[in-house]
Amino acid sequence: MRYVDEYRSGKIALDLSQRIESVLEPGRKYKLMEVCGGHTHTIYKHGIENLLPPAVDLIHGPGCPVCVIPMGRIDDAIAIAERPNVIFTTFGDMMRVPGGNGSLLEAKARGADVRMVYSPLDALRIARENPERETVFFAIGFETTTPSTALTLLRARSEGIRNFFVFANHVTIIPAIRAILGSPDLRLDGFIGPGHVSTVIGTVPYRFIAESYGKPLVVAGFEPLDVLQAAYMVLLQLAEGRCEVENQYTRVVREAGNPRALEAIAETMELRTTFEWRGLGFISQSALALRVEFADWDAERRYDVPGVRVADPKACQCGEVLKGVIKPWECKVFGTACTPERPIGTCMVSSEGACAAYYNYGRFTRRLETVAT
Amino acid sequence: MTGREQEVLEAIERRRRRRPRLKDEVVTLAHGAGGKATRTLIEALFLEEFGNPRLAPLADAALFDVAGARFAFTTDSYVVKPLFFPGGDIGELAVNGTVNDLAVAGARPLFLTAGFIVEEGFPTADLRRVAASVGRAARAAGVEVVAGDTKVVERGKGDGVYINTSGIGVLEHEHDLSPASVRPGDKVLVSGTLGDHGIAVMVARGSLELEVDLDSDTAPLTELVHGLLSATPGVRCLRDLTRGGLATALNEIADAANVSIVIDEAALPIRPEVNGACEILGIDPLYVANEGKLVAIVAPEALAAAYSALGSSPLGIDTEIVGEVRADAEGMVFLDTAFGGRRVVDVLVGDPLPRIC
C-alpha cells in the first residue's frame, strides 16, 4: 500500500527499539499510557509490546469510545431502538457492547431495526430514503468522530430533514486525562497522545499535562512506527529530564488543530454539566449534548429516554486498571464474573481492553517472560 | 509470577478447557459468524441434543464406510447477500462450497442435493439465472445434482433465495486428514491470496461506496486436492478457508491437535486491493472468507512436493509457505508481524465488526 508501507518497516523498528533501550536508566521501570484505543489496536496488531524492553510497560488508557460508554446509555439506546417506527443506526463495534439489559445486537435479534453504518451521513441517507420512519444515529466517540456528527446535523438542517435524530454521546478527551492525572495513586511516567483527536483540537490543550503535572506527552500517529517513535520520544524526554508536549504526527496534526471542525462542533453542540464514564465514574464537563438550536434533531428531547443509571459492579476495578494502579489479574472479578464473553467492566469489553487482552493472551505473555528471565 | 497470578491464569485455563455453556437468551447474528459464539451454539445445543461419534469432531464432512468403500458426507446452507456479486453468485457458491468441504476431507465429490427456499415475489428470471449457475458449477466440479426441494415463503420472510446443498463423495486416498495427525515441525501452506471472496461481497453490497476491482475466488478445489494428495503421503490436514478465514481454520487445527501454529505476516499472500479495503473497513484480512482456497498442513519432508503440486494447478499458482507448527503454547496461533513483533491470532468472539477508530 502506497503511503503506508513506509511506516511499517521492520528494519527501522529494530533500530528504534535499540535506541529506546539506550535511553533507559538501568533498573528503572517505565509506565507509559497510550490514551487512544486506536493506538492500543496498533500495538496489538503489530506486536509492538515485544519490541519494547521489559522495563517499559504500556498502560492502555481510556480512549476507546466503545469502552467508556456506561451501561445505562446502552440501555437508553436500546429503549430508543425498540420504538416501533425507529431505524436505529450505529457504528459496528457498538452493537456488541452490553448494557444492563443486553446489547444492541440482542435488541436487533428481538426485532428492533438496528443497522450498522460507517458514517453519520449514511444514517442521514437512510432517513432521506425512509421519510415515513424516524432514523436515529447513535453518536459516540471523542473529538475524532464529533465533527462528522456536527457536519451531518448542519446538513440535516440545511436540507430540512426532520425525521433524523442524533442520540449524542460524544465525549472529550481532556477531562478524562485530567481525571486520571488527578488520581492520588497515579503511577504513570508519560503519555502517548491521541493523534486523530489532536487533528481536531491541536496540541495546545495538552500543555497542562506537562506544565502542571510534570508528565511528558507526545502526540502520535497510528502506524506502528509512529507509536514506537512516540514511545522513544517520551523516554528520551525522561532521560534528558525534559517535560514537554511534542508532536510526532506532524504530517497531520497542527498546533491549533482544525478550526473549521471546532467551529462546526461549537455551532451544534455544547458541554454537558457532567457525564458518566464506564470505569471512571462521573466527570464534569466531559461530554457534549446538542444545542437547543438543534432540539428538533435531538433524540433525547424527541423520545422519552429512560436515563437509566446502571452502576458498574462494586467489585469492578476498571478505574484502577486504567490508571495502571493494579494489573488486570488483581481485580476481584477478573476471569470469574467478568470474561470477554460476558464482560462487566470497561477493560473487558473491547478486545483491545487491558483485561480482555490479558485474559486472552496473559498465559502466553507470562510464559515468554519466564523464558526470558 | 506470584502465586495469586498463577492461580488466576490456571483458573482461566481450566475454564477454556471446559465445554461451553449457552447462556444467551436469543440467537444473534454473532451465533452465525463462525467465531466463539457459533462454536458455543453448536457444542452446547446441537451436539448436546444429537451428538454422536461421527459428528463429534465437527469436521468439514463426516466419514463412513459402506460395503467396503469409504465415503464423505456434508451439508451447507447459503444465505449470501447480494445474490450476484463480482466473480460469482449464490448458485455457484452453493455448489463449490459443498464440493470443497468434501474435497478437503480427501474425497472426490459425486452427488449433490439442492434445496431452494424462495421468497414470494422473486423474479423467475433471476431464479433461472441462479439455477443455470448451479448447473454450470456442478458440471465444472464433476458432480451431479441428483435430488432437490423447493419451498416458497411469504414476501418479507426471506432474502430472495436461500440454497442448501448436501453432498456425498468417495475417499480415494489413504491419508488421515484429521487435525489429530498434525505434528510439531509441520509446515503451513495456503493455496492463494486471502480474503478475496469476503471483500468482493462486502464491496458488492454497495453501501460502502468503495471502488475495488476484485472478483470472488469461488472455485471447486477437487482437482487441486487430488493433485496434492497424489503427490505426497505427507499431507496431514486440509481445510478450506471459508467463514472466519485463515485465522479460524488455524485455530481449529491448533486446538484439535494440541499444538501451536506460527504464521509469518510477510509471507501471507494478500492482494493490495484486499489489504487496502481491510485497512479502510477496520477488518483483519486473516478473518475474511475465501471460497476457492485451502490451507494445507504438511510434514516437513513433504514440503517441496506439496508446494510444487499446489503451485502447478491453476487454482494454486499463488501458493505460499506461510508458517510452521510448534509444540509449545498448545491451542494458540501466533503471527510474526512484518514489523518485527509477535501477536496472538485469536478466535473471534462474534462477527468481525468494523471498528470506529
Side-chain angles (χ1 to χ4, degrees):
Chain A
M1 279 175 291
R2 267 179 90 197
Y3 311 122
V4 167
D5 291 343
E6 58 200 282
Y7 299 106
R8 298 187 178 180
S9 153
K11 209 166 141 255
I12 302 175
L14 194 65
D15 175 54
L16 259 176
S17 85
Q18 283 161 356
R19 277 160 67 186
I20 287 172
E21 187 88 55
S22 74
V23 298
L24 300 185
E25 211 175 290
R28 180 173 169 185
K29 293 274 185 193
Y30 297 84
K31 283 190 175 183
L32 309 185
M33 172 178 280
E34 87 276 5
V35 177
C36 178
H39 283 147
T40 311
H41 179 69
T42 302
I43 288 162
Y44 279 121
K45 184 175 173 198
H46 297 278
I48 290 176
E49 274 179 305
N50 42 49
L51 284 168
L52 289 171
V56 181
D57 225 357
L58 291 175
I59 308 292
H60 314 309
C64 165
V66 170
C67 300
V68 298
I69 290 286
M71 295 172 103
R73 295 299 279 191
I74 303 279
D75 289 346
D76 288 346
I78 291 173
I80 298 173
E82 288 185 331
R83 296 176 70 93
N85 200 32
V86 162
I87 301 172
F88 194 84
T89 59
T90 173
F91 293 132
D93 48 3
M94 276 312 290
M95 292 175 76
R96 207 162 40 216
V97 180
N101 183 26
S103 65
L104 281 162
L105 206 58
E106 284 163 323
K108 177 173 157 65
R110 287 193 298 262
D113 191 350
V114 179
R115 302 185 192 179
M116 191 185 83
V117 289
Y118 279 85
S119 112
L121 284 172
D122 292 343
L124 190 64
R125 178 175 48 78
I126 292 172
R128 217 182 277 125
E129 289 167 0
N130 295 275
E132 74 294 351
R133 297 184 63 189
E134 298 183 343
T135 298
V136 180
F137 175 63
F138 192 9
I140 70 149
F142 288 90
E143 287 88 341
T144 320
T145 52
T146 316
S148 59
T149 304
L151 291 168
T152 306
L153 279 165
L154 292 171
R155 184 178 288 191
R157 185 174 66 180
S158 73
E159 290 184 18
I161 298 176
R162 293 308 180 114
N163 64 328
F164 173 74
F165 303 91
V166 168
F167 180 41
N169 290 274
H170 285 297
V171 283
T172 61
I173 195 75
I174 297 293
I177 298 180
R178 204 183 282 277
I180 285 171
L181 283 166
S183 166
D185 45 13
L186 181 77
R187 303 276 195 282
L188 300 172
D189 295 289
F191 290 90
I192 295 174
H196 289 160
V197 164
S198 309
T199 58
V200 177
I201 67 171
T203 59
V204 178
Y206 303 118
R207 280 191 190 151
F208 77 97
I209 299 170
E211 288 164 6
S212 307
Y213 291 91
K215 308 284 178 194
L217 178 143
V218 176
V219 171
F222 291 85
E223 290 302 325
L225 277 183
D226 291 328
V227 176
L228 206 56
Q229 190 186 17
Y232 171 67
M233 288 167 73
V234 174
L235 293 164
L236 187 66
Q237 284 199 41
L238 292 169
E240 292 175 352
R242 288 185 295 122
C243 178
E244 295 161 21
V245 172
E246 290 182 314
N247 183 7
Q248 180 278 336
Y249 204 23
T250 49
R251 64 184 187 277
V252 175
V253 171
R254 304 279 165 271
E255 196 176 311
N258 181 340
R260 237 193 103 211
L262 290 169
E263 273 165 32
I265 296 174
E267 189 177 348
T268 53
M269 289 175 238
E270 62 190 356
L271 281 172
R272 293 174 191 266
T273 330
T274 186
F275 193 74
E276 188 188 3
W277 293 56
R278 238 188 206 198
L280 295 175
F282 284 90
I283 304 178
S284 61
Q285 302 204 311
S286 65
L288 298 162
L290 300 199
R291 283 187 180 280
V292 69
E293 293 88 335
F294 285 84
D296 289 350
W297 291 272
D298 190 344
E300 280 176 277
R301 289 182 166 101
R302 169 79 186 174
Y303 307 108
D304 189 17
V305 178
V308 189
R309 290 279 157 266
V310 185
D312 287 334
K314 283 214 167 54
C316 176
Q317 294 173 283
C318 282
E320 278 103 319
V321 173
L322 284 178
K323 286 179 278 187
V325 178
I326 63 167
K327 291 283 188 187
W329 57 268
E330 290 173 296
C331 171
K332 294 184 197 79
V333 288
F334 176 81
T336 51
C338 186
T339 64
E341 288 80 14
R342 303 249 143 206
I344 293 177
T346 321
C347 315
M348 197 62 100
V349 176
S350 157
S351 59
E352 287 131 24
C355 291
Y358 190 87
Y359 183 93
N360 286 322
Y361 315 140
R363 63 202 193 287
F364 160 68
T365 315
R366 301 304 296 181
R367 193 171 310 177
L368 268 191
E369 282 175 19
T370 317
V371 172
T373 46
Chain B
M1 195 185 303
T2 65
R4 162 94 176 111
E5 185 178 8
Q6 181 75 39
E7 268 172 41
V8 171
L9 287 175
E10 281 169 11
I12 292 173
E13 201 58 30
R14 278 198 302 278
R15 185 170 306 220
R16 281 172 181 276
R17 301 273 161 210
R18 268 210 311 252
R19 203 163 178 187
R21 280 187 300 163
L22 184 66
K23 293 180 183 165
D24 306 285
E25 284 174 16
V26 292
V27 174
T28 70
L29 288 174
H31 290 109
K36 280 183 192 165
T38 307
R39 189 88 185 175
T40 302
L41 189 72
I42 291 171
E43 290 191 16
L45 198 148
F46 294 123
L47 265 188
E48 192 79 25
E49 299 298 334
F50 52 77
N52 60 64
R54 272 189 240 283
L55 178 65
L58 297 177
D60 288 308
L63 306 181
F64 55 93
D65 295 0
V66 178
R70 295 173 64 222
F71 293 95
F73 186 31
T74 192
T75 188
D76 211 335
S77 299
Y78 299 84
V79 295
V80 65
K81 266 192 291 187
L83 300 173
F84 304 95
F85 46 82
D89 59 49
I90 189 169
E92 192 176 349
L93 212 56
V95 171
N96 289 339
T98 296
V99 159
N100 291 345
D101 278 344
L102 294 171
V104 293
R108 177 167 291 280
L110 297 174
F111 303 112
L112 297 186
T113 67
F116 282 74
I117 298 172
V118 190
E119 188 183 352
E120 179 188 23
F122 189 67
T124 50
D126 283 351
L127 192 58
R128 179 175 293 281
R129 206 173 143 198
V130 171
S133 181
V134 168
R136 201 165 43 242
R139 284 189 292 280
V143 294
E144 280 179 78
V145 180
V146 293
D149 176 51
T150 311
K151 295 282 186 292
V152 177
V153 293
E154 285 172 49
R155 186 186 281 270
K157 299 281 170 68
D159 281 316
V161 61
Y162 300 137
I163 305 176
N164 170 273
T165 50
S166 295
I168 193 159
V170 63
L171 287 139
E172 295 175 335
H173 298 271
E174 292 303 312
H175 298 69
D176 171 11
L177 294 175
S178 68
S181 61
V182 170
R183 297 280 174 271
D186 287 353
K187 304 292 180 190
V188 181
L189 290 94
V190 294
S191 67
T193 51
L194 303 175
D196 300 15
H197 172 76
I199 294 297
V201 168
M202 274 186 239
V203 172
R205 282 186 193 148
S207 60
L208 301 174
E209 291 171 20
L210 283 179
E211 296 218 359
V212 179
D213 187 15
L214 186 72
D215 281 347
S216 163
D217 55 357
T218 179
L221 293 171
T222 317
E223 292 311 319
L224 185 76
V225 172
H226 180 68
L228 175 65
L229 296 181
S230 305
T232 168
V235 183
R236 311 271 209 210
C237 183
L238 298 174
R239 285 283 162 113
D240 56 341
L241 300 176
T242 53
R243 192 180 55 183
L246 180 66
T248 305
L250 291 182
N251 266 291
E252 284 173 7
I253 294 170
D255 189 51
N258 257 332
V259 294
S260 67
I261 296 176
V262 181
I263 49 176
D264 176 7
E265 187 176 43
L268 294 173
I270 302 175
R271 288 184 200 281
E273 304 90 297
V274 170
N275 239 339
C278 283
E279 254 331 289
I280 291 168
L281 301 176
I283 287 175
D284 187 338
L286 285 174
Y287 295 91
V288 180
N290 287 92
E291 288 291 344
K293 304 282 163 56
L294 58 78
V295 58
I297 313 283
V298 304
E301 63 276 11
L303 181 63
Y307 182 74
S308 103
L310 287 173
S312 63
S313 158
L315 291 178
I317 44 173
D318 293 322
T319 293
E320 293 286 350
I321 303 154
V322 299
E324 193 178 88
V325 178
R326 305 269 173 88
D328 56 347
E330 302 85 6
M332 307 271 294
V333 178
F334 302 106
L335 177 79
D336 281 340
T337 70
F339 194 63
R342 173 174 284 198
R343 71 172 160 105
V344 176
V345 178
D346 204 4
V347 183
L348 284 181
V349 171
D351 250 326
L353 292 174
R355 302 160 32 75
I356 74 160
C357 78

